[in-house]
Amino acid sequence: MKKHNKVSIRILNWRDVKHPLAGGAELSLHEQAKVWMKMGAEVSWYSASWKNAKKNEIVDGVRVFRMGNQFTVHFLFLARYFIHKVPKVDVCIDSFHFIPYFSPFYIKKEKIYALINEVAGDLWYYNSPKPVAFIGKVMEPIIIRAYKKIPFITASNSTVQELVRIGIPHGHISTVYHGVTVYNPKKNIVKEADPTILFVNRISQDKGIEDILKIFTQLHKSNKRIQLWIAGKEENEGLLRELLQKYNIQKKVQYFGFVSESQKFNLMKRAWILVHPSRKEGWGLTVIEAASQGTPSVGYDVEGLRDSIQNEKTGLLVTSNSEGLLSGIQKLLSDSTLRGTLAKNAIVWSQKFSWKNAGEKSWKIIYGS
């Protein structure tokens, strides 16, 4: 795809790629922005700040402006916009994470795209006090419908279906699958001799951390050799420690903390299974990353994961509860032939995704050529 004349793009997203709690949504948007810049775009990103964060920073060519926190950044940007501290751009990407920036109500003469990886739905109850969660869940579809004249970009077909059910015209929605950056471990790194289950995600209730800890107590009783590895940042400090104490498995689970990309891929290559018991996902990037290392996933049959996991081909989709997760893990651990077949298929599946393809597709959508 050839370069074009300069086009300016503003990203409104509650976290940028350097935020301590940044996830696959932020990584995906950042990687696509890097492709846009190669096409000739200038990209700015307005996001939340955090303790000791730089107020302004250039990250891989993206100009990042930080303010407030992830709960106040939407309103602080609005104030900043009205006191004329935000330059006009050609394209504005307004990202939904529970709530959007409401840009169509005050930004004029800019092409606006709504970016939504997942419709939160019941996730409100995992991340907010009950009264706030109730209001949020009721208001979310109303807010989404307020954008029905705005083009939407999302990461999975299952999210497209949710948006259509809410009332967004199918023709207003484009799907851009996430890519993947593969760090190839050394050839001498192989699968563990003992059955090894890996959880790589933000450590929070909505990501299913308690489900995997609960069933690990049962798995370990039947086979003392089974290992559970956990890698990722805690949503709330001390949560993992509390859960390990609750199930009395402090000495049976290995927690690596937040790991580097190379260490993450080393763990993925060594593990037998990746578990992804999220209540809902926009896509499930770690599924594809693990697949690249020949590691099949067991995940809940929910939006996003239905797209990144090909059931019975690259992994298993199971009922969204601890019993379903236990059954799926036991099935894969006990059947080496099935595990081997899924591993081979997973490698092939992972090769279909790249940030270049994702960035070029989204560029074509927002630039129109």
Side-chain angles (χ1 to χ4, degrees):
M1 187 174 285
K2 65 180 181 180
K3 288 187 177 182
H4 296 267
N5 295 330
K6 281 289 183 182
V7 57
S8 52
I9 301 173
R10 180 197 307 117
I11 295 170
L12 304 178
N13 193 84
W14 70 339
R15 298 167 181 162
D16 66 87
V17 74
K18 280 197 168 185
H19 193 285
L21 294 175
E26 287 70 42
L27 175 62
S28 173
L29 192 46
H30 185 79
E31 290 295 331
Q32 290 180 66
K34 287 161 64 175
V35 177
W36 302 340
M37 287 186 291
K38 289 180 180 179
M39 296 296 104
E42 294 177 343
V43 182
S44 57
W45 188 315
Y46 292 81
S47 68
S49 189
W50 66 92
K51 187 177 180 180
N52 300 323
K54 293 181 180 179
K55 187 176 180 181
N56 302 323
E57 185 176 5
I58 297 177
V59 183
D60 296 330
V62 178
R63 295 183 176 275
V64 180
F65 302 91
R66 302 186 179 106
M67 62 200 84
N69 58 46
Q70 61 192 39
F71 303 108
T72 63
V73 63
H74 308 79
F75 309 105
L76 291 175
F77 174 81
L78 174 63
R80 184 169 181 162
Y81 183 85
F82 277 111
I83 58 175
H84 308 295
K85 288 191 175 182
V86 180
K88 183 180 180 298
V89 295
D90 300 303
V91 175
C92 179
I93 309 292
D94 187 343
S95 303
F96 280 72
H97 289 281
F98 293 95
I99 62 171
Y101 280 70
F102 301 98
S103 60
F105 297 98
Y106 58 90
I107 293 179
K108 308 301 178 183
K109 297 181 180 180
E110 295 179 5
K111 184 67 174 178
I112 298 173
Y113 289 85
L115 177 66
I116 183 167
N117 280 287
E118 63 191 12
V119 177
D122 288 338
L123 292 183
W124 281 94
Y125 287 97
Y126 289 94
N127 294 278
S128 308
K130 285 186 177 180
V132 175
F134 175 78
I135 294 170
K137 184 178 178 181
V138 170
M139 290 300 298
E140 183 181 35
I142 297 172
I143 293 170
I144 291 174
R145 280 194 293 272
Y147 277 68
K148 65 181 179 181
K149 294 183 179 179
I150 303 296
F152 275 75
I153 300 174
T154 191
S156 67
N157 294 326
S158 49
T159 302
V160 171
Q161 293 167 13
E162 276 198 292
L163 291 172
V164 170
R165 286 195 294 270
I166 286 171
I168 303 302
H170 197 284
H172 284 199
I173 311 169
S174 300
T175 306
V176 179
Y177 295 131
H178 291 185
V180 63
T181 300
V182 177
Y183 289 73
N184 291 313
K186 294 179 180 178
K187 291 183 179 180
N188 62 351
I189 295 178
V190 296
K191 296 296 181 192
E192 290 287 296
D194 293 331
T196 304
I197 304 163
L198 175 64
F199 175 97
V200 180
N201 217 321
R202 178 165 43 86
I203 297 171
S204 62
Q205 290 288 3
D206 64 298
K207 297 298 183 181
I209 184 62
E210 185 163 7
D211 287 3
I212 183 58
L213 294 178
K214 179 181 178 180
I215 68 163
F216 180 70
T217 60
Q218 301 175 58
L219 290 166
H220 196 265
K221 284 178 182 178
S222 60
N223 186 347
K224 302 297 183 185
R225 295 172 53 215
I226 291 179
Q227 303 179 92
L228 174 60
W229 294 348
I230 296 174
K233 297 174 184 174
E234 291 180 292
E235 178 83 31
N236 298 302
E237 188 175 351
L239 173 62
L240 182 60
R241 181 178 64 252
E242 291 176 8
L243 291 175
L244 291 173
Q245 290 173 348
K246 177 179 178 179
Y247 294 102
N248 193 28
I249 51 175
Q250 302 95 309
K251 296 181 180 180
K252 300 172 184 176
V253 174
Q254 188 167 356
Y255 177 47
F256 293 87
F258 179 71
V259 297
S260 66
E261 289 297 294
S262 59
Q263 187 179 3
K264 177 175 70 175
F265 277 86
N266 285 348
L267 295 174
M268 286 176 168
K269 187 170 182 180
R270 291 166 59 192
W272 287 27
I273 299 171
L274 178 83
V275 288
H276 207 316
S278 289
R279 304 304 176 186
K280 180 178 281 190
E281 283 290 338
W283 172 245
L285 180 57
T286 55
V287 166
I288 307 300
E289 291 175 332
S292 74
Q293 303 306 309
T295 302
S297 296
V298 176
Y300 284 158
D301 187 6
V302 296
E303 290 81 4
L305 295 180
R306 293 184 189 128
D307 301 84
S308 57
I309 299 174
Q310 292 186 304
N311 191 34
E312 300 283 353
K313 293 182 179 179
T314 66
L316 300 179
L317 292 170
V318 299
T319 306
S320 302
N321 54 43
S322 55
E323 291 77 15
L325 189 63
L326 176 62
S327 176
I329 290 173
Q330 288 176 326
K331 181 176 180 179
L332 268 192
L333 290 181
S334 63
D335 191 336
S336 59
T337 301
L338 174 62
R339 201 167 60 247
T341 299
L342 297 187
K344 290 177 182 177
N345 293 341
I347 292 172
V348 175
W349 174 238
S350 71
Q351 294 169 349
K352 297 180 181 292
F353 305 97
S354 75
W355 293 123
K356 181 175 182 292
N357 290 343
E360 288 184 351
K361 183 171 182 180
S362 56
W363 173 260
K364 188 173 181 179
I365 292 166
I366 64 178
Y367 193 83
S369 63

